[in-house]
Amino acid sequence: MVQSASIQLENPQEWDLSDLYQSFDDPRLMQDLEALQQTAANFRDNYRGKVKDLSAEQVLDCLQQLEAISQQAGFLYAFPALIFAADTRNAEAKQMQDKVMEAVTGIENQLLFFDLELKSLDDQKFAELESASVLQPYQHYLYNIAKFRPYKLSEEVEQTRNQDSLTGRQAFINLRSLHLGEQEYDPVTTPDGKTCSTEAELSALLFHPDRDVRYEAYQSVRKVMQQHNSLYAYILNTVAQDHKLENQMRGYESTLQKQLLADEVSEPVFRAIMDGTKSRFDLWQRYYTLKGKALGQKIRTCDVYAPWGNDPVPPLSYQQGVDTLLAALSQFDVNYARRAEEFFLKNWVDAKVRPGKRGGAFCWYAHGKHSYLLLSYTEDYNSLFTLAHEMGHGLHFAWIGDRQSYFNSNPPMVLAEIASTFNELLLLDYLLKQAEDNPQLKQALITRQLEDQLNLLFRQSTVSRLELAIHDRVTQGSFDQSFVNEQWQSLYQDLCGEAVEVLPEHQVDWARIGHIYFKPFYCYQYTASNIVSLACYQKYREVGKDFIPGYMELLAAGGSLDQVKALRQYVDVDLENPATIAAALKYVEGLLDQLQATL
């Protein structure tokens, strides 16, 4: 077991970003930015218009130069962006983020020609590069370049698209984040006298045993969404319209086709996931019917996370949470757990709850250094599982960083979510063993796992169903908040059936889902990745420690391989086999059977 006694964490920690830069006054910040701009200009002078004449060895050298530029740009952008995420009210951070983004966009525009000239090579020349032995480490990178060859634009138009993003699509996405960070929420006071007023604290109250507290907390957050319903819908419409314009310019059939191409997921697999989950809404409805009977009341949308037992589960301090997670990971693999311990020892985690902090949680990877984890730890098991999830991302990138260069460091999204979900399953198994003599905690953990699975399989795919409606509607013209509200309410009602009362306020809940703004059709990938993670975990439980080497190879592969092939090669999981989807749904049905047997 990992010895974590050296980690003293009385309160959730704030991260230390000094391995990027010391402060906004750090002279290296502007020096590095100026040097990078000059490096990019030199690269452009040396190679623009000449890519067609380069040998494979020269192309290799160019790719390595571009990777070094991209890595340094990543450090420069991460610093203000991470400070802003931790405090969206920090005006200096926002200004620096904008300044660096503008500069990095200029650098990207300087270098666009290389990618475009590669895409413009004749088939024979491109095939020679793909087969060159010195370029074998970049084979998948070249494959992805070839895949997008039909959709390229001229350099001038591509540069304009990049520049427009500063005041166009990305600006609207940033506006939503900035606006949300400035919101004040009606405080809610619990029966024991604790007052909660941040979005993270109010969301944590949805797990509170008191139904009135849950409703008040739910209402407090949705009240803000309702007040700004038209603004968030306007932003979403603008973002969706911009995707439509890009599709028309590049020749994509739809936003869905564009995203599936980038995600390395075929449309038949996407449809199979959507159809497979929709055909088993009965699992969601069966669970919440059971929960309603156990609680003696019909479940409302504010009650879906309500605890089953009458007695609340004791709070879990940050120190206890960290120790528990490290112990769970250690039982899987000691080296794996030691890599996780490093995040806490070196303050790569920001878990402190404070006003203005970005909602939700994320892992930000800076290739060449490490990942930074952000969450708001609210002393409960939900926060612990969030920590396990983001740590899964951080450990995934740690293995990638050991083996992959920059262009191979970004795994496709289905692979990108595997380690995070796998970590949660490791934590669950560990906690269940620890709770053998605590029936209340054991039931809480089983039901939490069920609710997590139901969320990943059904709620996340329902978000993508909303996006199908949004991006289909945008091809016909603009939409307003009424359209999105009605679509979301209707889709959620289909999911819930008679088992859950969908409160009127739930119609504005879509505005809280950042991914529908940041990256369309992101959420179905949570579903797909969960399906694959369950398949991986079932194999781990079947074969034990012999599973670990292949799993670590899968993590280390990053974006260097096609994800369907990588899954087959390293862990013998077939994403394209409908039986893999059916097995995940069967797993959830088995959990439901276990739960029902205890009632």
Side-chain angles (χ1 to χ4, degrees):
M1 181 180 294
V2 168
Q3 298 299 314
S4 57
S6 59
I7 305 177
Q8 298 299 319
L9 302 166
E10 291 183 8
N11 298 302
Q13 63 201 114
E14 299 181 62
W15 52 30
D16 178 3
L17 304 179
S18 61
D19 57 348
L20 290 170
Y21 296 97
Q22 294 294 326
S23 68
F24 292 137
D25 295 326
D26 187 337
R28 291 185 303 120
L29 187 60
M30 286 300 106
Q31 288 168 7
D32 287 351
L33 189 58
E34 290 169 7
L36 199 64
Q37 289 170 317
Q38 186 59 54
T39 300
N42 292 342
F43 184 91
R44 181 181 176 85
D45 290 343
N46 291 336
Y47 297 107
R48 186 170 183 264
K50 303 173 184 176
V51 176
K52 66 181 184 302
D53 301 317
L54 298 179
S55 68
E57 288 76 14
Q58 289 171 316
V59 169
L60 173 64
D61 180 57
C62 287
L63 291 176
Q64 291 172 340
Q65 289 184 56
L66 290 170
E67 287 183 313
I69 292 170
S70 297
Q71 180 172 287
Q72 184 63 52
F75 300 156
L76 286 160
Y77 184 67
F79 186 64
L82 290 170
I83 292 174
F84 179 67
D87 181 9
T88 59
R89 301 177 182 185
N90 186 329
E92 187 181 15
K94 179 66 175 67
Q95 290 168 0
M96 183 60 74
Q97 184 182 23
D98 290 344
K99 181 175 183 177
V100 173
M101 181 184 283
E102 183 177 357
V104 169
T105 299
I107 290 169
E108 289 174 351
N109 275 346
Q110 292 266 14
L111 305 174
L112 263 175
F113 77 90
F114 191 83
D115 184 81
L116 293 173
E117 288 186 33
L118 275 181
K119 288 176 180 174
S120 299
L121 294 176
D122 62 55
D123 292 345
Q124 181 180 343
K125 175 68 174 180
F126 199 90
E128 289 173 5
L129 293 179
E130 286 185 297
S131 61
S133 59
V134 295
L135 290 172
Q136 284 309 292
Y138 295 93
Q139 192 170 41
H140 192 59
Y141 174 78
L142 292 171
Y143 163 77
N144 278 325
I145 284 181
K147 186 171 64 176
F148 288 101
R149 289 174 78 184
Y151 308 106
K152 69 178 178 64
L153 302 171
S154 69
E155 183 181 7
E156 293 78 9
V157 176
E158 292 282 8
Q159 288 178 334
T160 301
R161 287 291 304 169
N162 271 353
Q163 290 167 335
D164 284 350
S165 73
L166 296 173
T167 52
R169 185 199 302 171
Q170 190 59 46
F172 278 94
I173 293 169
N174 290 345
L175 170 63
R176 173 190 169 274
S177 296
L178 183 66
H179 189 267
L180 264 180
E182 291 178 340
Q183 298 313 303
E184 302 282 350
Y185 300 91
D186 291 343
V188 174
T189 302
T190 61
D192 61 0
K194 180 182 179 182
T195 299
C196 301
S197 59
T198 68
E199 196 273 342
E201 291 171 323
L202 292 166
S203 294
L205 288 183
L206 295 180
F207 296 83
H208 197 278
D210 188 309
R211 72 191 310 265
D212 292 333
V213 168
R214 294 193 300 269
Y215 182 70
E216 287 181 43
Y218 179 90
Q219 289 280 64
S220 176
V221 173
R222 276 77 191 167
K223 179 181 177 182
V224 169
M225 298 303 113
Q226 181 63 61
Q227 286 172 340
H228 306 294
N229 190 213
S230 59
L231 172 64
Y232 295 145
Y234 179 83
I235 293 172
L236 183 59
N237 175 66
T238 302
V239 170
Q241 294 285 353
D242 189 78
H243 279 290
K244 180 184 77 171
L245 291 174
E246 183 182 11
N247 299 339
Q248 292 170 346
M249 293 172 71
R250 296 188 183 278
Y252 291 112
E253 294 175 11
S254 64
T255 300
L256 175 65
Q257 186 221 4
K258 176 177 65 176
Q259 288 305 134
L260 291 179
L261 205 60
D263 299 337
E264 299 183 28
V265 172
S266 68
E267 185 159 345
V269 168
F270 171 79
R271 297 294 178 186
I273 290 168
M274 300 300 284
D275 294 343
T277 51
K278 189 172 185 179
S279 71
R280 295 308 312 268
F281 281 180
D282 64 290
L283 296 174
W284 173 284
Q285 294 165 14
R286 178 184 165 195
Y287 173 78
Y288 284 108
T289 299
L290 287 173
K291 187 170 187 174
K293 288 178 180 176
L295 297 182
Q297 64 187 58
K298 185 169 183 177
I299 300 297
R300 305 163 295 177
T301 40
C302 62
D303 300 320
V304 292
Y305 301 120
W308 277 65
N310 292 324
D311 299 322
V313 174
L316 195 70
S317 72
Y318 187 59
Q319 180 77 59
Q320 290 172 309
V322 170
D323 290 344
T324 301
L325 176 58
L326 293 177
L329 299 183
S330 182
Q331 289 201 350
F332 173 66
D333 182 76
V334 171
N335 187 42
Y336 191 70
R338 283 179 178 150
R339 296 292 288 267
E341 186 179 27
E342 190 177 13
F343 280 76
F344 303 110
L345 289 170
K346 296 186 176 178
N347 289 318
W348 297 342
V349 181
D350 192 303
K352 186 176 180 179
V353 177
R354 56 182 173 273
K357 187 173 185 177
R358 205 196 100 162
F362 65 70
C363 168
W364 186 300
Y365 178 49
H367 185 270
K369 292 190 183 292
H370 53 82
S371 296
Y372 300 87
L373 311 184
L374 179 139
L375 68 150
S376 295
Y377 191 90
T378 50
E379 298 196 342
D380 50 39
Y381 281 90
N382 189 55
S383 291
L384 175 56
F385 277 91
T386 299
L387 179 60
H389 183 100
E390 300 306 334
M391 183 60 74
H393 287 306
L395 292 170
H396 189 175
F397 283 119
W399 257 257
I400 289 172
D402 290 345
R403 296 275 287 277
Q404 303 298 339
S405 64
Y406 183 90
F407 285 150
N408 288 329
S409 67
N410 191 25
M413 286 313 306
V414 173
L415 284 188
E417 291 295 333
I418 287 177
S420 52
T421 305
F422 195 88
N423 258 23
E424 292 192 61
L425 293 168
L426 287 170
L427 175 63
L428 175 72
D429 267 4
Y430 176 81
L431 289 171
L432 286 175
K433 289 172 186 172
Q434 300 296 309
E436 284 294 344
D437 299 325
N438 187 339
Q440 179 194 345
L441 178 57
K442 190 171 184 179
Q443 186 188 55
L445 291 167
I446 290 174
T447 54
R448 189 212 172 276
Q449 167 67 350
L450 260 168
E451 289 174 9
D452 197 37
Q453 290 297 324
L454 292 169
N455 172 53
L456 289 166
L457 292 169
F458 299 111
R459 184 181 180 276
Q460 297 292 355
S461 56
T462 296
V463 173
S464 287
R465 277 180 255 281
L466 173 67
E467 291 180 290
L468 285 170
I470 286 169
H471 290 282
D472 179 61
R473 177 69 178 82
V474 114
T475 62
Q476 305 163 37
S478 62
F479 58 81
D480 61 13
Q481 68 270 26
S482 297
F483 172 79
V484 195
N485 293 349
E486 290 166 9
Q487 288 291 324
W488 182 240
Q489 193 81 343
S490 174
L491 287 165
Y492 222 76
Q493 190 63 64
D494 288 345
L495 172 61
C496 293
E498 296 298 316
V500 178
E501 179 187 348
V502 182
L503 296 171
E505 297 84 1
H506 200 73
Q507 66 179 323
V508 300
D509 207 57
W510 55 267
R512 300 177 62 242
I513 307 169
H515 288 312
I516 66 176
Y517 297 88
F518 306 149
K519 185 176 180 182
F521 299 104
Y522 188 103
C523 289
Y524 86 89
Q525 294 173 99
Y526 283 121
T527 306
S529 188
N530 185 58
I531 289 166
V532 172
S533 296
L534 284 171
C536 288
Y537 201 72
Q538 286 164 333
K539 287 193 177 291
Y540 165 58
R541 296 184 73 172
E542 288 169 15
V543 304
K545 297 289 186 180
D546 289 343
F547 171 83
I548 295 175
Y551 178 70
M552 296 305 189
E553 287 295 317
L554 178 68
L555 298 188
S560 66
L561 296 171
D562 173 82
Q563 62 186 349
V564 173
K565 292 178 183 175
L567 285 164
R568 288 177 183 147
Q569 178 178 334
Y570 293 126
V571 291
D572 192 28
V573 168
D574 189 352
L575 179 61
E576 295 182 330
N577 187 344
T580 305
I581 300 172
L585 295 165
K586 194 71 177 174
Y587 170 82
V588 175
E589 191 167 22
L591 285 177
L592 271 169
D593 291 341
Q594 288 180 48
L595 176 64
Q596 194 157 13
T598 67
L599 299 177

